[in-house]
Amino acid sequence: MFARILMKLHLTRGQKAVAFAYAAVMAVAAGISLMIMSAVNGGTAIPPEPTLYDNWIVLVGGLAAGVALYVSRGWLGGRGALGVARAGVATIIVTCVTAILTGLLVVPFYGAIAGPVIVLSEFAANPVIAASWVGILFAAHMLFGLLRHEQEAVAHVSALSQLSALSRANLYRH
């Protein structure tokens, strides 16, 4: 069923990878935001019967992560050591923007200030949550790399097609 829907959208392999990256980051952020807020509220686990407030936290956490990933999309997908360093910067950007937006929408005004502090303190207290967040963001970096490679290949082919046969023979000898 899912394959049939994707076929109708006519997405390339890189576009499918980016769509999956958005979905994965948003899902992980929704879960992490619920875990953090249940710990802040005094619970040690996810509540057995989610309230409207819990559902709001999940929705806002996922949407904020999607917005944050969109904001930092230019930093993701690079190759080599510079690409990894840029992905590290994107991780910081996505974390801060997600925390600010989620905090702002969960607890207006005060949450924009407290959100990043709560997230960082929870990451320090529970490194498994931090590792899963950083891991999913670096996986998104790799998936964005597929789209960037695809776009570079298309740009290279279109640039070569604009040259005459003589120019291609003289400039691009192998």
Side-chain angles (χ1 to χ4, degrees), residues 2 6 9-26 69 73 76-77 136-151:
F2 188 67
L6 286 178
L9 293 176
H10 303 291
L11 297 175
T12 64
R13 182 174 176 234
Q15 291 169 336
K16 288 177 190 176
V18 168
F20 182 73
Y22 272 99
V25 169
M26 290 171 71
L69 193 62
R73 70 190 183 280
L76 296 169
I136 197 68
L137 288 175
F138 272 94
H141 163 69
M142 300 301 288
L143 292 171
F144 270 81
L146 293 174
L147 179 65
R148 185 167 288 197
H149 176 70
E150 188 176 89
Q151 290 171 341

Side-chain angles (χ1 to χ4, degrees), residues 94-118:
V94 170
T95 303
C96 290
V97 171
T98 301
I100 290 169
L101 289 177
T102 303
L104 184 65
L105 293 172
V106 169
V107 183
F109 303 114
Y110 172 71
I113 299 167
V117 173
I118 291 170

Side-chain angles (χ1 to χ4, degrees), residues 14-86:
Q15 291 169 336
K16 288 177 190 176
V18 168
F20 182 73
Y22 272 99
V25 169
M26 290 171 71
V28 169
I32 287 175
S33 64
L34 182 62
M35 291 171 62
I36 288 174
M37 287 308 294
S38 67
V40 167
N41 291 335
T44 57
I46 298 172
E49 293 183 25
T51 63
L52 188 60
Y53 178 69
D54 295 326
N55 293 334
W56 175 247
I57 290 170
V58 169
L59 178 70
V60 167
L63 290 177
V67 169
L69 193 62
Y70 181 78
V71 166
S72 66
R73 70 190 183 280
W75 291 86
L76 296 169
R79 294 187 192 161
L82 182 62
V84 172
R86 289 172 58 96

